């Protein structure tokens, strides 16, 4: 992989060693050799369980993967876990966890719509594992009253809050069934936490932002920096919208996408105190900054998620999935019967065989985000996603080199 920076400098990325060199080198003939796939009957690293305590939601976010517009995912429904379900789930967790320190993440839908079961689950988890359990709740924050916030913090629960910028941007996408925006309720919850729990806001609240178009970040960043509350809250993660082939997915162009990133970088270079752009660019260059410089040997393991993943997903029907990112169609067992190892291995084999042929000469394989969730896509869709992943990787490589040249990396 080769790029040229704005200053005219040439840089090449060597995938064999993970090095960056200040010259043009063609490494196109280098091919990865992958270790053969082995049948597995255990998940030795699992310590995290994402629990969809309800599939009900009081919002109808326009980009939601549970809106019914994604072909292999459910749509919003009324399924929720009962106290008896919680008992079964936690007993499954007890048997499946491979570490004495357990992480539980309550998910939805909107978990606070099943508040009684959520309270029961959190209390039961503390009873079972005490200080050895870490708990989080993912919420749209519209139901986070002061009493609920107090109770969650009193019970050592981290709160993951979704907010897509300031009111103008958030309310375009995160709306209720009547089409009304939800920003004011989210803002009220954050304001309460800021006043009563300033330290917890920094340490026990994750602020998650979804952006439909990176060009919007310029306006979002400016508006965020002008808000007396938000300007001191750094987004933990900035995500793009999941690809939806029912609506069509565009093939990205490197020069076009790089120009968008460089335009944002120019703004960030002038406003280094910007928390939104800081989060965005830190995320963009994270792998490049922390990459291990290792000369690979002969055969390397294929990153197939299973069986080395550290988490499992449990939906409201008590089915088991690899994680919350994978479409509902691809479950690998149930709480009552456990994991179906034949089914899990079949899914992994299909994923492995596709990647085996596609990835051997790929320059982006070490930092590729084409995870196990890609099992739902057909060959044509894989072609588009692989292309876009290579473009995105090259753009992030370019941004890393640009920032390094400009002295923007400490």
């Amino acid at each position: 992989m080769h790029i040229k920076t704005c200053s005219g400098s040439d840089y090449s990325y060597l995938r064999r060693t993970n090095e960056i060199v200040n010259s043009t080198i063609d490494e196109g003939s280098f091919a990865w050799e992958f270790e053969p796939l082995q049948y597995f009957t255990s998940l030795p690293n699992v310590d995290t369980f994402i629990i969809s305590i309800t599939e009900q939601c009081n919002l109808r976010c326009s980009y939601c993967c549970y809106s019914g517009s994604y072909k292999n995912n459910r749509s919003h429904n009324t399924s929720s876990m009962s106290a008896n379900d919680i008992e079964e789930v936690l007993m499954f967790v007890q048997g499946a966890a491979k570490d004495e320190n357990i992480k539980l993440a309550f998910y939805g839908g909107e978990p606070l719509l099943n508040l009684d079961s959520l309270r029961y689950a959190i209390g039961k988890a503390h009873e079972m594992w005490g200080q050895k359990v870490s708990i989080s709740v993912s919420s749209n924050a519209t139901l986070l009253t002061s009493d609920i916030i107090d109770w969650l913090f009193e019970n050592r629960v981290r709160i993951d809050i979704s907010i897509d910028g300031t009111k103008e941007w958030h309310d375009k996408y995160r709306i209720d069934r009547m089409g009304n925006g939800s920003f004011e309720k989210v803002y009220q919850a954050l304001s309460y936490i800021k006043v009563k729990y300033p330290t917890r806001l920094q340490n026990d609240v994750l602020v998650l932002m979804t952006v439909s178009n990176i060009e919007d970040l310029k306006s979002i960043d400016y508006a965020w920096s002008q808000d007396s509350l938000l300007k001191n809250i750094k987004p933990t993660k900035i995500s793009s919208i999941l690809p939806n082939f029912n609506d069509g997915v565009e093939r990205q162009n490197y020069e076009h996408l790089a120009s968008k990133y460089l335009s944002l970088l120019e703004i960030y270079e002038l406003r280094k105190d910007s928390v939104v752009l800081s989060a965005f660019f830190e995320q963009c260059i994270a792998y490049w900054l922390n990459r291990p410089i290792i000369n690979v040997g002969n055969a390397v393991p294929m990153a197939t998620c299973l069986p080395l993943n550290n988490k499992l997903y449990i939906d409201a029907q008590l089915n088991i999935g690899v994680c919350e990112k994978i479409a509902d169609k691809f479950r690998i067992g149930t709480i009552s019967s456990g994991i179906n190892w034949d089914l899990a291995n079949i899914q992994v084999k299909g994923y492995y065989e596709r990647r085996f042929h596609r990835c051997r000469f790929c320059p982006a394989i070490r930092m590729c985000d084409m995870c196990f969730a890609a099992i739902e896509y057909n060959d044509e869709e894989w072609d588009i996603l692989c292309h876009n992943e290579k473009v995105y990787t090259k753009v992030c490589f370019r941004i890393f080199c640009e920032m390094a040249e400009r002295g923007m990396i400490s």
Side-chain angles (χ1 to χ4, degrees), residues 13 17-19 287-295 366:
Y13 165 66
T17 61
N18 234 10
E19 293 176 289
Y287 178 84
W288 298 99
L289 185 63
N290 302 306
R291 70 193 188 284
I293 308 300
I294 298 174
N295 194 342
R366 290 201 190 214

Side-chain angles (χ1 to χ4, degrees), residues 269-284:
E269 193 170 13
L270 297 174
R271 294 209 308 255
K272 292 192 177 70
D273 59 342
S274 155
V275 293
V276 172
L277 289 182
S278 175
F280 176 75
F281 283 110
E282 284 176 10
Q283 191 172 303
C284 178

Side-chain angles (χ1 to χ4, degrees), residues 1-13 20-25 254-255 258-259 262 394-395 397-403 405-406:
M1 186 191 309
H2 164 256
I3 60 98
K4 185 184 289 288
T5 61
C6 293
S7 69
S9 298
D10 292 296
Y11 295 94
S12 295
Y13 165 66
I20 295 172
V21 295
N22 190 197
S23 60
T24 303
I25 296 178
Y254 167 72
E255 296 295 343
S259 68
L262 288 169
K394 188 174 180 179
V395 168
F397 174 38
R398 169 79 178 274
I399 293 300
F400 175 74
C401 294
E402 294 281 358
M403 292 179 69
E405 284 190 346
R406 303 179 193 193

Side-chain angles (χ1 to χ4, degrees), residues 44 75 91 100 103 236 285 350 378 409:
S75 58
M91 288 306 297
E100 63 177 6
K103 303 177 184 69
T236 308
I285 68 169
N378 61 37
I409 299 175

